[in-house]
Amino acid sequence: MGYQLNADALNTVFAKWSDTYDIYAPKLFAGTGRSSMQDIVRYGKITKPEEIVWDKRSDYSAKDVLLPVCQTLFYFNENTVTEAEAPEKGAIILLRSCDLHAIKRFDYMYLQNGPEDYYYKRVRDRVKFVLMGCSQEFENCFCVSMGTNTSDNYDVALNFKDGQYFLDVKDDVLGKAVTEAKAPEADVVPDHVTENKLQVHIPENLSSAIAKSHVWDEYDKRCIKCGRCTLACPTCTCWSMQDVFFTEDHKAGERRRVQTSIASMSNCRKA
């Protein structure tokens, strides 16, 4: 069902959603970029639709909500092990089609590639996805080539145009707040781009042998093992395990998993 809402109406919807869910979306973090005067766009909690960044691509992916950079799994002492608590609320994640496609990779790795990952599943089961429509491409996007420019695997789709919000609602739980707002109905199709300036062509019969290609030599030379690739990549599921001890005799502490990769592992440190 499609609806048209103004900012006040959507604020009311967000307020009702927030009773049960934490809402995450691309958000501007001023002065927290690579330099003190540089802004950055990344996923964070929001309470109002005005906080959503529509005109810039997020510098990081939405995966931080599902897999925190640093996640405590359990606490231990000499005699007991206590599981870390799950987040109190579920999560609503506003994300673009490309990031929504990336979630499928996470689901495969953590839920289908062998035994289910308990810590991932308990978060994933309480997540709703709101697809942000893309009315135009951003620099260096190549979603059309990858077939990730559209998706129908969402609970709500949200377009923004001329100060108005247009919602296609599939989920009854989230839809209740929308219908209570008495918004007028409308025909809504998620915005998406149909052509990119940058086109990527994948060779046929591509195999794992590409990992040994000399095309990577330039990147190997430039790599300083900072770990940014691991954090920024929307499909990287790699992590290392760390025990953080609270006592000098190492009999009490907590076990964490931290996003990392082979390239950045040497720079991992206990927080």
Side-chain angles (χ1 to χ4, degrees):
M1 183 69 73
Y3 301 91
Q4 179 179 345
L5 286 77
N6 58 28
D8 289 339
L10 190 57
N11 264 302
T12 301
V13 171
F14 272 32
K16 292 182 178 180
W17 286 354
S18 296
D19 290 339
T20 309
Y21 299 93
D22 288 323
I23 305 175
Y24 295 86
K27 180 179 178 181
L28 181 69
F29 290 82
T32 61
R34 288 187 293 271
S35 63
S36 60
M37 301 298 292
Q38 186 179 34
D39 300 335
I40 196 169
V41 177
R42 65 185 309 162
Y43 278 79
K45 289 183 183 180
I46 65 168
T47 57
K48 299 179 180 180
E50 293 86 351
E51 297 178 81
I52 305 170
V53 174
W54 288 92
D55 59 350
K56 294 181 181 179
R57 185 173 59 188
S58 176
D59 295 285
Y60 291 88
S61 80
K63 72 177 184 179
D64 288 354
V65 183
L66 295 167
L67 186 70
V69 174
C70 183
Q71 182 181 28
T72 298
L73 305 183
F74 57 81
Y75 302 92
F76 61 86
N77 59 34
E78 192 171 3
N79 300 309
T80 63
V81 174
T82 304
E83 178 184 313
E85 294 182 357
E88 293 183 5
K89 292 183 176 181
I92 295 174
I93 307 177
L94 283 76
L95 73 178
R96 301 183 190 278
S97 177
C98 51
D99 266 336
L100 190 51
H101 275 274
I103 299 297
K104 293 193 295 185
R105 180 64 177 174
F106 265 68
D107 287 349
Y108 171 75
M109 291 299 294
Y110 283 103
L111 302 178
Q112 302 167 30
N113 185 32
E116 292 181 343
D117 184 287
Y118 167 77
Y119 295 97
Y120 178 81
K121 189 176 190 317
R122 71 178 185 176
V123 175
R124 179 67 175 85
D125 285 346
R126 301 170 65 198
V127 170
K128 304 284 189 181
F129 294 107
V130 175
L131 173 65
M132 297 172 58
C134 280
S135 59
Q136 62 182 24
E137 69 167 348
F138 298 100
E139 185 179 6
N140 295 329
C141 282
F142 51 92
C143 57
V144 177
S145 296
M146 296 294 103
T148 60
N149 56 318
T150 62
S151 176
D152 59 5
N153 188 29
Y154 56 81
D155 297 292
V156 176
L158 178 64
N159 295 335
F160 177 60
K161 183 178 181 180
D162 298 330
Q164 296 289 308
Y165 297 90
F166 300 86
L167 285 73
D168 177 35
V169 181
K170 293 184 178 182
D171 182 81
D172 292 338
V173 175
L174 300 186
K176 182 179 179 181
V178 180
T179 55
E180 288 177 354
K182 299 181 179 180
E185 295 183 6
D187 293 328
V188 179
V189 177
D191 289 336
H192 62 278
V193 297
T194 58
E195 185 178 4
N196 296 136
K197 294 180 181 178
L198 175 63
Q199 298 183 8
V200 175
H201 302 282
I202 301 176
E204 295 183 4
N205 302 319
L206 188 66
S207 70
S208 59
I210 190 66
K212 298 180 180 180
S213 170
H214 292 296
V215 71
W216 308 114
D217 290 349
E218 177 187 353
Y219 297 96
D220 290 342
K221 294 176 182 178
R222 292 163 53 189
C223 178
I224 59 173
K225 300 181 180 180
C226 68
R228 186 187 184 280
C229 57
T230 305
L231 301 181
C233 177
T235 60
C236 182
T237 58
C238 300
W239 43 264
S240 66
M241 201 71 74
Q242 299 178 356
D243 285 343
V244 180
F245 298 105
F246 302 155
T247 58
E248 293 184 1
D249 59 8
H250 291 189
K251 292 183 178 180
E254 65 182 64
R255 177 159 295 180
R256 301 173 178 174
R257 62 180 177 190
V258 181
Q259 289 184 29
T260 187
S261 61
I262 294 175
S264 61
M265 194 170 292
S266 62
N267 277 8
C268 278
R269 58 194 178 102
K270 297 178 180 179

